[in-house]
Amino acid sequence: MQQEFKFVVNGAPCSVTAAPDTPLLYVLRNDLQLKGTRFGCGAGACGSCTVMVDGRALQSCDTPLWSVQDCAITTVEGLGTPAAPHPVQQAFIDEQAAQCGYCINGIMMSVTALLAHTPAPDDAQLLAVLDRHLCRCGTHLRILRAARKAIELMETAR
């Protein structure tokens, strides 16, 4: 049975009608046309679909729509713009952290959520967040450098 769900996506109020157990990922990509959130494994194990829900990083492929009612959702499209990228996005650009680019959006969302709650994480905290993401490109060192640079850029922005 379908019902109406209301939430905020990238700062804009949103309303969709769908079944309560519809994955958030499907609504973001198919209904709202936010293609930056990727479908990877479909089981919440690879991290490609990571978004922020009320400031926490969550895998959207296994997050049912009913659980985000009245929540604030941020996708990679909501972080910054091409003209004014978010500091995390800028750090990943500067460090050329993406190779294929499939997992990077989810990784950036996890790093952004971490920095929102822990402005100066140590390497163990960074690695714990990055460990939740499956990346086959071999850019792990660049990704870690980008995360460290994002910390510096966020400190400068404060």
Side-chain angles (χ1 to χ4, degrees):
M1 174 182 0
Q2 299 210 346
Q3 63 188 71
E4 182 180 26
F5 293 92
K6 294 181 180 185
F7 40 84
V8 175
V9 178
N10 298 331
C14 181
S15 174
V16 297
T17 301
D21 60 347
T22 302
L24 174 59
L25 173 65
Y26 295 1
V27 170
L28 293 173
R29 290 186 58 81
N30 300 335
D31 298 330
L32 303 179
Q33 300 301 308
L34 295 169
K35 304 295 185 180
T37 305
R38 310 278 197 239
F39 180 89
C41 67
C46 75
S48 293
C49 67
T50 303
V51 298
M52 292 189 317
V53 177
D54 290 339
R56 296 178 305 124
L58 288 177
Q59 285 71 39
S60 61
C61 71
D62 65 355
T63 298
L65 203 50
W66 64 262
S67 71
V68 297
Q69 176 82 314
D70 299 321
C71 291
I73 300 162
T74 306
T75 69
V76 71
E77 292 93 344
L79 289 184
T81 65
H86 184 278
V88 171
Q89 292 171 314
Q90 188 62 57
F92 276 71
I93 292 166
D94 292 348
E95 295 299 326
Q96 298 179 1
Q99 188 165 328
C100 80
Y102 205 83
C103 66
I104 290 298
N105 292 347
I107 291 172
M108 286 191 296
M109 297 309 296
S110 286
V111 170
T112 301
L114 172 67
L115 296 181
H117 298 287
T118 309
D122 59 27
D123 277 355
Q125 291 168 305
L126 282 175
L127 291 173
V129 164
L130 295 174
D131 189 51
R132 294 183 237 161
H133 293 272
L134 180 62
C135 173
R136 298 279 189 211
C137 295
T139 62
H140 298 91
L141 293 177
R142 286 188 270 168
I143 290 169
L144 186 55
R145 277 197 314 263
R148 288 179 184 138
K149 181 169 187 148
I151 295 167
E152 294 172 18
L153 292 175
M154 296 285 286
E155 286 174 355
T156 303
R158 284 187 209 123

